[in-house]
Amino acid sequence: MKHSILFVAMLCSAMTATANNAKISGRIKDANDKSAIIGATVLLMQDTAQIAGTTTDSNGKFTIDAGNGDYILELSYIGYETIRMALTVNENTHIGDILMQEGAMELGEVVVESQAIIQKVDRQILLPSKEQMQASSDGVSLLQNLQIPRIVISPIDNSVKTLSDENVQLRINGVEASTADVKAINPKDIIRVEYHDQPGVRYNGAAAVVDYIVKHRDTGGSLMLAGTNGLTLPGIGNYYLAGKVHFNKSSLQAVATYAPYDIYWTRTNNETYHFSTGKVENNEVGEPTRYKTYPVNVSLNYNWTNGDKNMLNIRLRDNMAYSPYGSSDRDSRLYQPTDSFEIHDHDKSSSQSPSLDIYYQHNLPHKQHLYFDVVGTYINTHSDRRFQQTPLFGSASTDTTDVLSSVRGDKWSLIGEAIYEKEWENIMLTVGARHNQQWVKNTYLGSTEATVNMTTGETYAFAEMRHRVDKFSYVVGIGAMHTLINQAGQKQSTWIARPQLTMSYDFGKGWFWKYKGYVSGYQPSLSQLSDITQQIDKYQMRRGNPNLKSVMYVSNEMELSWQSKHVNLNLWANYSYDHKPIMEETFEEIIDGSPYAIRMYDNQRGYHKLNVSPSVQVKLLDNKLMFNVTPFVKYMVSQGNNYHHEHVNYGVRGGIFYLLRGWRFFADVVTAQHNLWGETLTLGELTHDIGINYNSEHFGFGIMMVNPFSPHGSTTVKKDLSSLAQTSNTAVMQNYRQVLMLNFNVNLDFGSRASTRGYQRINNEDKENGILSGTK
């Protein structure tokens, strides 16, 4: 009898326990594109005590055990607003889909132990790990620590490019920024980094975009001082100074950079000209020639943010540069079969470019947003060049060439842009327009005297719709571009349609596929359009072409990736085609009885480029140790009106770095980049570096060696493949090897921090001066 009573009691207890052991389940998605949020934290709270916890799986799903009762379910993820909901549980409870809004979670609230990557249809969201943040002194060093496979950062000037040597557009909270602006970011203020490997139509043809989403403070401020200087090559340096103060809804920031460059190049030229009057062969042996420049850039930025309602941003920039010795300067001796000459080619230039950028953002009800941006820029340029070719003592020739060229350039531009956005449950619509108006007046003095007046305008209107259906996402964009060029009363107008399609599919278990195809266009630069001829040397002249037309550009890009805890695999391929591209062609012309090779811009037949780049990334020790290997192949075809050239470039990028408690050890190598455009083939150099940095909360330092294993220093080869004028130019900087660089940084903060607010989405800047160069 006792055993029967005991059995019944145990059975009742088990049934009661079973009844009380309910499960709570659901799935967390991004509110904008409905993609699964992987690794979100799910906590079950009762009063202030944590009862249970879990994280979402690769599909954004979670299941958590709970007994009967009243609970608070808390859902959180870096870069998203935390959700807290009250639940009464008396049976299994399925909540369904929970939508999380991107927002302003403080990094201090949740520590990311391992770097997380979230795949979106148009971008990757990168959440830096604790070790990556500790080892970073600014936004650029954090980007280095993130180790994005196809992003290459120069150890000298911190420039950011793709593996195919294209410039990467940098942004801060959506606004286009300079490298100096990114250097001024305190890593503590960074919420996440968004890498747009397939930028949308609003980015106007950028190869890639890196956008830093940062916090906004209400009080306090910061001061940053950083620099890099060559110990064994003291002529190279890069220095940054930035300060920022916050007061209520406003902030004021000043940034200044100084990047002196004082080096010596040795240039060797081999030239063969097949003129109708006979063949000319030149063998030019260079001597060490100085290149010296002093660029200084300053900016003052005022920001007013009214919560989530509206924002005003005003930025004043001034970019200045003085180059007493030009980058193409050379001292050399020229040898011909019967004669020899002394060559002196020197250029001195200066420029100043002030600009004013006014941006306004207004957030409307029902998830609607308006963005406006207006930029006015003035560019003033002075350039003085002198080329001298004189016979050496004992030479049979008495022929002397003396070319003087002085250019005074003035350019004004006004850029305006407006964007409207509207969000629904599963759809986002973006509509916008941009106009760029430019006026230029260049005065050419010396051997050639002329004045060029020109006006150009470019208008671009676009619309883009994003939609997600389960694991499939797509973006459809349409746009049209109109260009108008007016020079000396001669006008030309061109229309180019600019459609775009982006698709992605999440296969699950770490597999992700993307495709992007679009049509774009670009108009000739003002320098290419200039109706002017500039003498280069005794045998060559460069000529602009006022009849150039705008170019249509077509691109197709595909990517397949797989991510796991320790290994990331990626296969990326891109094919692009320029229809009627603006490239040089060379022809002979007799001027004053002497033959010249005229190098003139014209719309050629076409240009094809195919890039294929697989990558492997291995992550160990909670991402503290990383290995990257990214091979690449680039196939280029240049089709001129009277020439055809092809070139294949094979290469690899590899790297290793290790992070530990603020210390960073790194080694990186990138093989030579080659580029074929028109009849010009440029062969870059293999670069590699090794170094160690330490960073603490308020200061950091490091030492790096550039090209530690290079036997010849820095070498760049530029070839002209023209059948009329074949040239090969080799520039060598012999002391650019085993270059020891010292870097330092100081970061001082005062005052409290606050959450992120509205951020600027668009920004425009004009940098092209419009001058036709006569340098070699």
Side-chain angles (χ1 to χ4, degrees), residues 359-406:
Y359 171 88
Y360 178 72
Q361 172 182 329
H362 190 72
N363 298 327
L364 301 170
H366 310 297
K367 297 183 178 180
Q368 300 178 93
H369 313 279
L370 288 171
Y371 310 96
F372 302 95
D373 190 32
V374 178
V375 183
T377 304
Y378 168 66
I379 301 178
N380 176 261
T381 306
H382 286 190
S383 175
D384 296 291
R385 175 180 179 253
R386 185 171 190 177
F387 171 84
Q388 294 175 296
Q389 179 176 316
T390 57
L392 287 172
F393 179 76
S395 175
S397 174
T398 59
D399 190 11
T400 298
T401 303
D402 195 348
V403 178
L404 293 172
S405 174
S406 182

Side-chain angles (χ1 to χ4, degrees), residues 619-666:
K619 304 173 291 182
L620 303 173
L621 304 177
D622 290 330
N623 286 4
K624 297 181 181 68
L625 179 62
M626 280 195 186
F627 303 87
N628 295 287
V629 178
T630 307
F632 62 87
V633 58
K634 183 163 56 173
Y635 174 57
M636 296 157 282
V637 180
S638 183
Q639 297 174 313
N641 296 326
N642 52 20
Y643 60 81
H644 180 97
H645 303 294
E646 301 181 15
H647 184 74
V648 181
N649 177 205
Y650 299 97
V652 65
R653 178 200 176 182
I656 176 176
F657 79 50
Y658 179 67
L659 303 175
L660 181 64
R661 298 175 184 173
W663 289 92
R664 178 170 70 105
F665 167 82
F666 62 93

Side-chain angles (χ1 to χ4, degrees), residues 80 103 114 116 199 247 323 392 430 568 597 699 707 723:
Y80 289 81
S114 297
F247 39 96
S323 302
L392 287 172
T430 302
N568 291 342
F699 74 92
N707 292 339
S723 59

Side-chain angles (χ1 to χ4, degrees), residues 102-118:
E102 293 185 3
M105 179 178 289
E106 298 286 337
L107 278 178
E109 295 176 17
V110 177
V111 177
V112 183
E113 295 295 340
S114 297
Q115 177 187 339
I117 301 176
I118 303 172

Side-chain angles (χ1 to χ4, degrees), residues 184-258:
I185 302 176
N186 191 323
K188 295 179 182 178
D189 292 334
I190 298 175
I191 297 174
R192 63 183 183 271
V193 177
E194 298 189 355
Y195 171 47
H196 298 253
D197 51 350
Q198 296 180 345
V201 292
R202 73 162 63 94
Y203 299 107
N204 202 27
V209 176
V210 174
D211 193 358
Y212 296 81
I213 307 303
V214 303
K215 305 171 188 176
H216 177 88
R217 304 188 194 183
D218 292 319
T219 60
S222 61
L223 181 66
M224 186 276 288
L225 175 65
T228 300
N229 195 82
L231 297 179
T232 56
L233 193 60
I236 296 179
N238 224 323
Y239 309 97
Y240 302 86
L241 177 64
K244 192 172 187 178
V245 292
H246 308 265
F247 39 96
N248 297 324
K249 299 178 180 180
S250 299
S251 67
L252 186 66
Q253 182 183 44
V255 179
T257 67
Y258 174 54

